[in-house]
DNA sequence: ATGAAAACCACTCTTTCGGGTGGCGGACGG
DNA sequence: CCGTCCGCCACCCGAAAGAGTGGTTTTCAT
């Protein structure tokens, strides 16, 4: 019964080295067990179905299916899934999306081993583990800064080097509409121009790097 | 003598988890030994002076002092240092800079454990380990694409949302000169506009994300 | 039902961008 | 010595961007 009471952990990250690091940290804990690993979102969903882990560590940027979509997929199928987001940068809107989707924890990749295991235990015990600076940052961003889906769509095309006219053609809307979107994007991100807006959006995770 | 003949490795990365993963991989090899770790370039230089490792694994993006500067510092002091670059993205100009500075290997963070140890052994044996797709990519980029220092300087300010006029003021040059630089930047990167240029420069590692 | 928000569109006006073309001085290598 | 590359600067000009102000429709929550 001692063995079966271990915290069963699933680790999802596209870097084998990071998975090894996590495995290394977990195997030193006698109350935790790494039951499976996945290198992308698709594998993650499959692994979750098969192993039903107590806690899932989920990287955000991954090939094929990212952490957001994987979190959504898992949570919709298993509403009780306890997922901890693993990300590199703190000002990451993707992370707050995942938290809205029901992720219960948030870890920066620059953390220490002890923070990792503390978070796993805490989350397994039913707590949410969101660092205060992140929580405030999210609250901050979510008030005024949140770009609409359409705005992100526009900005993505702009970032690929298209003029307003070209963007309009690609999205089947008028150039003036594109200008309207750009105007609200600049206002929301407090950017000086489109170039600045793209940079800010990248740093905040609206646009993939 | 058996112990002292081990390959002495220094590992430099700002993520404890990655360092753990590397440590884990190395401790399974009986011909390798992790003699020190560093979390940034400054620590790396100090650790190198102290331990004189046979092989150094060097991450590129780090706080305080990045992998490029650390590589330059170490190589200028110890021309025989064998440094392997560890990076996330393959199309990384920073990596080719490091290789020009004398780094002898190049590893993507998405690699397998076996690739890591193979590369360490190979590099220690005196070989260079640069994946062919990287080598060709570098050769490709280095032909026409290389931005001059001044151009990068200009582009960095542009990326922060400044108009040509403001850039001119900040760099104490004429607006027309800024335009001239922008023109050659757009030509070299084959970008449609400044926004596109910034995106391309970021992807290639000219600009830090 | 009413108000807010989002997506859509149109018109004006000024500023900025980017292309084209020209020239000048310094550094560096063949 | 000469060519080339870089950084610097100037002028013109058409196109694009961005700010301002107007409007419609749909959707959605209060």
């Amino acid at each position: 019964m001692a063995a079966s009471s271990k915290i069963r952990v699933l680790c999802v990250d596209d870097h084998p080295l990071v998975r090894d690091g996590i495995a290394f940290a977990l195997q030193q804990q006698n109350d935790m067990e790494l039951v499976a690993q996945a290198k992308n979102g698709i594998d993650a969903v499959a692994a979750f179905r098969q192993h039903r882990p107590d806690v899932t560590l989920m990287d955000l940027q991954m090939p094929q299916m990212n952490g957001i979509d994987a979190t959504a997929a898992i949570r919709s199928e298993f509403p009780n899934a306890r997922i901890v987001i693993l990300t590199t940068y703190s000002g990451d809107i993707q992370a707050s999306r995942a938290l809205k989707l029901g992720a219960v924890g948030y870890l920066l990749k620059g953390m220490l081993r002890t923070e990792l295991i503390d978070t796993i235990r805490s989350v397994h015990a039913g707590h949410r583990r969101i660092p205060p600076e992140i929580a405030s940052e999210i609250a901050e961003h979510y008030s005024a800064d949140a770009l609409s889906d359409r705005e992100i769509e526009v900005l993505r095309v702009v970032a690929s080097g298209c003029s307003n006219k070209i963007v309009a053609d690609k999205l089947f809307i008028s150039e003036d509409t594109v200008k309207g979107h750009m105007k609200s994007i600049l206002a929301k991100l407090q950017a000086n121009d489109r170039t600045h807006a793209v940079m800010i959006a990248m740093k905040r995770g609206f646009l993939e790097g």
Side-chain angles (χ1 to χ4, degrees), chain A:
Chain A
M1 225 28 156
S4 64
S5 71
K6 284 188 177 184
I7 304 175
R8 295 158 44 78
V9 178
L10 165 64
C11 168
V12 185
D13 196 301
D14 57 330
H15 296 322
L17 241 39
V18 175
R19 294 203 302 272
D20 285 353
I22 290 171
F24 186 61
L26 290 185
Q27 80 178 17
Q28 291 177 326
Q29 309 303 317
N30 54 22
D31 60 341
M32 295 179 189
E33 185 186 8
L34 185 63
V35 294
Q37 300 187 12
K39 65 181 184 302
N40 60 46
I42 296 170
D43 291 5
V45 176
F48 196 100
R49 282 206 194 94
Q50 192 188 338
H51 296 96
R52 311 294 177 92
D54 298 315
V55 176
T56 302
L57 302 173
M58 178 78 71
D59 186 22
L60 284 184
Q61 339 176 233
M62 286 181 297
Q64 296 188 34
M65 185 194 259
N66 65 36
I68 299 286
D69 296 339
T71 299
I74 291 173
R75 288 280 305 185
S76 72
E77 195 172 340
F78 307 94
N80 296 323
R82 306 197 71 75
I83 299 174
V84 175
I85 299 302
L86 218 54
T87 188
T88 306
Y89 179 59
S90 73
D92 198 337
I93 279 288
Q94 305 284 15
S96 42
R97 279 196 197 155
L99 293 175
K100 284 214 156 186
L101 286 170
V104 293
Y106 182 105
L107 277 172
L108 265 68
K109 279 197 182 171
M111 68 194 159
L112 302 170
R113 264 184 303 281
T114 53
E115 295 180 59
L116 173 68
I117 61 165
D118 282 356
T119 297
I120 291 175
R121 285 209 191 90
S122 175
V123 157
H124 180 248
H127 304 120
R128 288 177 70 94
R129 252 312 178 89
I130 291 117
E133 73 269 22
I134 304 301
S136 66
E137 199 172 335
I138 288 168
E140 217 176 280
H141 285 336
Y142 255 99
S143 53
D145 292 10
L147 297 185
S148 71
D149 290 345
R150 193 55 163 171
E151 283 161 356
I152 291 174
E153 211 169 342
V154 168
L155 197 55
R156 201 196 321 280
V157 184
V158 166
S160 73
C162 294
S163 68
N164 290 337
K165 178 82 188 70
I166 306 290
V167 175
D169 289 348
K170 289 202 176 188
L171 300 183
F172 306 107
I173 54 180
S174 146
E175 184 183 348
D176 281 315
T177 302
V178 176
K179 283 192 177 188
H181 284 307
M182 278 310 300
K183 192 156 15 179
S184 48
I185 290 169
L186 294 178
K188 284 180 178 178
L189 300 183
Q190 295 177 287
N192 298 331
D193 55 35
R194 49 177 56 222
T195 305
H196 198 193
V198 166
M199 287 293 284
I200 294 171
M202 292 240 307
K203 284 187 180 164
R204 299 224 179 127
F206 288 120
L207 262 44
E208 60 277 6

